[in-house]
Amino acid sequence: MKIFKFGGASIKDAQGVKNVTTVLKKTGEKDLVVVISAMGKMTNALEEVVTAHLAKSDTLKDHLLTVETYHYDILKELFPNKEHAIYKAVSGLLDQLKGFLTSSKSKNHAFVYDQIVSYGELISTTIVSTYLSEENIKNTWLDVRGCIKTDDNYRDAKVDWEVTQKRIIDKVHPTGITVTQGFLGAEHENNFTTTLGREGSDYTAAIFAYCLNGESVTIWKDVPGVLNADPRYFSKTQLLNKISYREAIELAFYGASVIHPKTLQPLQRKEIPLYVKSFYNPEDEGTCVGKGVTLDPKTSCFILKKNQVLISLSSLDFSFMMEDNIGDVFKWLHEYKMKVELIQNSAISFSMCVDNKYDKLDELLVKLREKFKVKWNEGVTLYTIRHSVPSEIKALTRDRNVLLKQESRDTVQIIVKN
């Protein structure tokens, strides 16, 4: 059994859905689990629905219409016959979504988010599964919420591996093609929908591979594989043919966006290779992440994170920054949901680069000022370079306002003011 995962970019329109058929035909795989994300930027569109619903905004109808129109435009191109059963199936899912919006009184943002946003994957898989059948690719549609069981930590649910493995083995037929949703699960007690975190569809593919002792996972993307830098920000990029699990986990930890950080861990435990390939050129080799060589070719890898915050602390009385002080800092970082990207400390100062993802910076700063002198810079850019050479660092920092630089054997991190 192999696992294929198609992200939103690969099914953003009717042509993308048709191309899934092309990929399956060209690869010739017969025993597959196909994990599908929401179409295009549909998760973002449904997030707007969440915001409007909780705010009781008059814009809710407009956001719902955007969701509806997007999917129906794709349907019209794929299924010209308006009497096709797929229209009723998608309409039924949209009615379920509207029913939740009408009946739900919950003000728990994370819970409401998961119930609403999940319809992106439920609709996309319904469309893709139906189109594959039209193209004579026999498949079974599977509701992943009956397989992946989690706790109730909505928006970032933790998988119950024991129960999940039993469910997956029970529900996935060992032969043939199964189409299911990425990103989603369901909590034990009430069976409410949960999500596994943004980009969690990659993680879903890894969960299925682990539970089924899969031969491999292939993530189909709009790039030829894993590149050594993001082509949106770097003019010269290079395809990485092979990456070790360890190196890929390092790259993911520092923010490389091609592979979700949680995806690699279950694959490494069973030494299941992960391939990243282009859905435009499915016969190309792409990138293989697996056991063995660290990096092929051996080249520098560049990771960029924008809109970070650099916070610098010093004690009010010039005393040392010791473990008890730093312990308080990390407790508050956890409390205010700040992801720490870099730390650096001296005898009387402590600096950290954080991602203000949940917009809690002001609350954190108030707390920090109770105990420290606080300076901070917002909107800074963090560069992380793996396996760099001095000339590359020199070129990167030329004519830039460098606020902080940290270097270890394999990694250089630089924070610059934009």
Side-chain angles (χ1 to χ4, degrees):
M1 180 68 73
K2 293 182 180 180
I3 289 80
F4 281 5
K5 179 260 176 174
F6 292 90
S10 62
I11 52 164
K12 65 182 179 180
D13 51 25
Q15 187 54 48
V17 176
K18 292 176 182 178
N19 195 50
V20 172
T21 307
T22 302
V23 170
L24 294 184
K25 287 180 177 177
K26 283 189 175 181
T27 58
E29 300 294 346
K30 302 299 182 186
D31 302 326
L32 281 174
V33 173
V34 181
V35 175
I36 305 283
S37 300
M39 294 177 147
K41 299 293 184 182
M42 184 45 55
T43 298
N44 294 339
L46 286 163
E47 285 173 348
E48 296 291 339
V49 173
V50 173
T51 301
H53 167 69
L54 290 173
K56 294 181 167 51
S57 170
D58 292 338
T59 63
L60 178 59
K61 287 183 178 178
D62 292 333
H63 291 304
L64 280 171
L65 183 61
T66 298
V67 171
E68 231 173 289
T69 303
Y70 181 88
H71 287 113
Y72 279 124
D73 284 347
I74 291 173
L75 285 180
K76 288 172 189 173
E77 196 169 335
L78 293 175
F79 306 95
N81 177 11
K82 301 293 179 58
E83 301 301 315
H84 196 289
I86 186 62
Y87 287 89
K88 187 175 181 180
V90 172
S91 176
L93 289 167
L94 290 168
D95 286 344
Q96 287 178 26
L97 169 58
K98 292 170 188 174
F100 174 82
L101 293 168
T102 302
S103 63
S104 175
K105 306 300 180 190
S106 176
K107 294 180 181 178
N108 181 335
H109 181 276
F111 169 77
V112 171
Y113 179 99
D114 282 4
Q115 310 320 301
I116 292 174
V117 168
S118 60
Y119 281 92
E121 279 75 14
L122 294 171
I123 293 172
S124 68
T125 50
T126 300
I127 293 172
V128 171
S129 174
T130 304
Y131 186 76
L132 291 178
S133 295
E134 289 285 300
E135 293 295 304
N136 297 314
I137 298 177
K138 187 178 179 182
N139 69 93
T140 302
W141 185 90
L142 174 68
D143 189 335
V144 77
R145 297 171 298 180
C147 293
I148 296 180
K149 291 299 173 181
T150 72
D151 63 10
D152 61 357
N153 184 29
Y154 297 102
R155 292 198 69 180
D156 194 17
K158 184 178 179 182
V159 175
D160 183 326
W161 283 93
E162 186 177 348
V163 175
T164 296
Q165 183 158 23
K166 289 177 181 175
R167 292 289 189 96
I168 286 177
I169 290 171
D170 181 55
K171 291 180 178 289
V172 177
H173 200 278
T175 59
I177 296 175
T178 298
V179 175
T180 195
Q181 305 79 36
F183 186 47
L184 310 184
E187 54 91 11
H188 281 292
E189 193 171 342
N190 298 298
N191 216 34
F192 288 124
T193 303
T194 56
T195 62
L196 307 177
R198 287 302 297 264
E199 311 301 329
S201 292
D202 290 1
Y203 187 39
T204 304
I207 292 169
F208 274 91
Y210 180 90
C211 293
L212 295 168
N213 291 316
E215 183 180 330
S216 64
V217 172
T218 303
I219 297 174
W220 297 95
K221 287 186 165 286
D222 55 355
V223 291
V226 179
L227 304 176
N228 73 323
D230 189 330
R232 293 175 298 175
Y233 306 118
F234 296 89
S235 56
K236 294 181 180 179
T237 60
Q238 189 170 3
L239 176 68
L240 303 175
N241 303 316
K242 294 180 181 178
I243 314 174
S244 69
Y245 293 115
R246 182 182 180 85
E247 183 65 28
I249 288 170
E250 290 278 3
L251 292 171
F253 173 79
Y254 287 115
S257 60
V258 175
I259 304 170
H260 191 280
K262 293 185 292 188
T263 300
L264 298 164
Q265 292 158 352
L267 299 178
Q268 183 184 25
R269 286 202 293 271
K270 290 193 175 180
E271 297 185 358
I272 299 169
L274 168 71
Y275 296 92
V276 181
K277 294 189 176 186
S278 167
F279 55 71
Y280 295 123
N281 301 292
E283 289 156 328
D284 288 356
E285 291 293 325
T287 300
C288 176
V289 181
K291 189 179 179 182
V293 62
T294 300
L295 205 57
D296 175 28
K298 191 67 181 280
T299 187
S300 302
C301 297
F302 297 83
I303 301 159
L304 177 151
K305 282 193 169 184
K306 291 188 172 185
N307 299 316
Q308 305 294 292
V309 183
L310 177 62
I311 303 174
S312 298
L313 310 176
S314 58
S315 57
L316 294 171
D317 58 0
F318 291 98
S319 60
F320 290 153
M321 294 291 286
M322 301 295 285
E323 287 83 355
D324 55 345
N325 291 333
I326 295 173
D328 287 335
V329 173
F330 278 102
K331 181 180 72 176
W332 295 328
L333 289 168
H334 175 74
E335 182 179 340
Y336 295 105
K337 297 184 177 181
M338 292 287 178
K339 185 177 186 301
V340 181
E341 307 290 353
L342 176 153
I343 60 172
Q344 188 176 86
N345 69 292
S346 68
I348 58 173
S349 68
F350 184 85
S351 297
M352 51 198 173
C353 182
V354 300
D355 189 343
N356 185 29
K357 179 181 178 181
Y358 294 98
D359 199 25
K360 291 183 176 288
L361 177 64
D362 291 341
E363 296 172 60
L364 174 65
L365 292 175
V366 168
K367 198 70 179 176
L368 291 171
R369 286 195 204 100
E370 294 176 4
K371 199 167 182 177
F372 304 100
K373 291 179 182 178
V374 183
K375 296 180 181 179
W376 74 98
N377 286 278
E378 296 182 55
V380 302
T381 298
L382 170 65
Y383 289 93
T384 302
I385 308 96
R386 294 276 295 169
H387 314 294
S388 64
V389 296
S391 60
E392 293 170 332
I393 302 301
K394 188 176 181 180
L396 186 64
T397 55
R398 187 180 296 123
D399 300 325
R400 293 179 186 267
N401 182 11
V402 177
L403 302 178
L404 188 150
K405 179 181 177 183
Q406 186 163 275
E407 188 168 355
S408 63
R409 184 172 62 179
D410 293 320
T411 306
V412 177
Q413 291 189 283
I414 302 165
I415 297 173
V416 300
K417 181 70 177 174
N418 295 337

